[in-house]
Amino acid sequence: MDKVIAHIDANKERYQKELFELLRIPSISADPDRAGDIRKAAEWTRDKLTAMGCEARLEETGGHPVVYGEWLKAEGKPTVLFYGHYDVQPPDPLDLWETPPFEPTVRGDNVFARGSADDKGQFLANVLGIEAFMQADGGPPCNVKFIIEGEEEVTSHNLEKWVGAHTDLLKCDHIVISDSAQFARGYPAICYGLRGICYMEVFLKGPAMDLHSGEFGGAVTNPCNALARIIAQLHDPETGKITIPGIYDDVVELTKEEREEFAKLPFDEPGYKKHLGVDALPGEQGFSVLERVWTRPTCDVNGITGGYTGKGAKTVIASEASAKISMRLVPNQDPDKIQQAFEDYIRTLCPPGVTVRFENHGKAKPALVPTDSPALSIARNALEKGFGNKTVLMRGGGSIPVVETFQDKLGVGSLLVGYGLPDDNLHSPNEKFSLEDYHRGIKTAAYLVDELAKAS
Ligand code: BES
Ligand code: MN
Ligand code: MN
């Protein structure tokens, strides 16, 4: 093991160069114009896996390709499957970036670029941890498989089918995913729960055409007004609860032990507020901030359109207004059931004079992995060795759709070993990743396969 770690230390600069190459590819899965760059990132990843000694190829899914790689020469040893995603979120709004999103720039200990933490830097750390064994020790101590996908940021819907059709290929003993974060600097964490999502768009249609707001104002239902009223009714202003009937029916309540564990975590609320630039954190009554973010459902507007939004004033009543609304889901909420409840409720809120139409932009089930498995203890140890600090257990508010798919189709729970930090600005301008944490992540991956192999 010593020579593997020494090898990692000796290659620090090369690792950064390789990450920067990948970060320069604008592999934005949501943007159809970037299909060429998506493929480039997939090919880069495949070529990386091939060059280090894996058998690797692109697998077509009907959407953006999955990169599959394997090295299966450790006979009789367990198989560890690493998952990651090479696609990234759109970088907009561009003018808020201090340096361009696809020109990786180092400031202090951080590299700034879209995808640096989410998820290129994190999955590459795992790839390089395995590469170190290949270059310094003849190969890793266990079998490894990689699936690096290109549609995570657009809900992984093609991957779910692909995984279902390739359960033999993906057969494994452990799954490792580095696509979450540490609890805070100095508190490396294993994430054991993720929220799901049901992402809807609501379209309200009023008059057949945009109207003069003086000639017709007062005569018709204004779709923008109606939409605002509907949105305003989605939460109870007193309790902060979502008003959609039945939304809490299947929610698994926190245990007393879990609440105690969360309360023990060194959550820096003033620092959190400061980072977010807000002076208060109101929300569902009776729950702490961490409880709300990790274990409670949400209903959030992600964007609203309608009417005149250009410069100056234009007196107009729009013919249509729309809102993108996502609901984060927690165990055991079912995204299909929630979609139905949402649509039914919005219909009841719709005033006369407008008609409503819905579109779904993706669904993912929430996930919880057992915290008492031997593999999870091993992952905690490996992270502790890699980061030199004690590991904490936490949950995450985001979603990684494939975690539930793996549980369902392969029967394997994922080890969510996060190398990022909570202030890495995922999906925001100025996304960053600590280069020290990148390096520690590479070591963690090496310790992890070493210990998983020893434990078998
Ligand atoms: N890596 C994130 C999810 C995440 C973030 C997990 C922080 C834990 C902590 C992932 O890339 C992501 O952003 N997922 C999307 C999925 C959605 C499009 C289905 C999300 O959560 O919005
Ligand atoms: Mn991610
Ligand atoms: Mn993401």
Side-chain angles (χ1 to χ4, degrees), residues 20 36 40 152 183 200 233 243 245 317 321 355 360 410 440:
F20 294 2
K40 249 202 214 155
E152 196 278 340
F183 179 73
M200 300 297 301
Q233 290 174 81
T243 49
I317 292 172
T355 54
N360 175 269
L410 305 179
R440 294 184 187 114

Side-chain angles (χ1 to χ4, degrees), residues 85-96:
H85 63 93
Y86 65 79
D87 66 321
V88 302
Q89 285 276 324
D92 313 74
L94 281 172
D95 52 325
L96 296 183

Side-chain angles (χ1 to χ4, degrees), residues 134-281:
M134 302 214 178
Q135 295 181 343
D137 206 23
C142 58
N143 301 299
V144 293
K145 295 180 177 179
F146 289 97
I147 19 177
I148 314 297
E149 70 147 318
E151 294 192 309
E152 196 278 340
E153 299 292 9
V154 290
T155 68
S156 302
H157 57 284
N158 290 299
L159 184 72
E160 187 181 340
K161 273 177 270 158
W162 185 84
V163 169
H166 293 82
T167 51
D168 281 341
L169 181 72
L170 302 177
K171 204 168 152 4
C172 62
D173 301 287
H174 307 288
I175 297 174
V176 177
I177 301 181
S178 296
D179 191 24
S180 49
Q182 305 174 58
F183 179 73
R185 175 154 293 291
Y187 293 91
I190 305 278
C191 176
Y192 69 92
L194 291 167
R195 289 196 286 191
I197 193 168
C198 174
Y199 197 136
M200 300 297 301
E201 188 161 5
V202 180
F203 300 87
L204 283 196
K205 175 93 178 139
M209 71 294 267
D210 285 10
L211 301 174
H212 189 294
S213 67
E215 264 191 292
F216 298 99
V220 295
T221 301
N222 178 332
C224 289
N225 294 13
L227 184 62
R229 280 187 68 88
I230 290 172
I231 291 170
Q233 290 174 81
L234 291 174
H235 293 88
D236 180 314
E238 296 300 315
T239 61
K241 291 213 183 288
I242 304 164
T243 49
I244 301 168
I247 185 126
Y248 295 104
D249 282 1
D250 299 326
V251 170
V252 178
E253 295 297 333
L254 276 164
T255 63
K256 196 167 145 270
E257 290 71 31
E258 263 179 310
R259 297 191 93 155
E260 282 167 8
E261 286 305 315
F262 291 177
K264 274 192 236 150
L265 292 169
F267 179 60
D268 170 17
E269 195 160 317
Y272 188 83
K273 282 202 266 193
K274 189 158 177 265
H275 172 65
L276 299 181
V278 298
D279 60 8
L281 297 166

Side-chain angles (χ1 to χ4, degrees), residues 294-306:
W294 292 347
T295 72
R296 301 298 295 170
T298 62
C299 179
D300 274 304
V301 176
N302 294 245
I304 303 185
T305 66

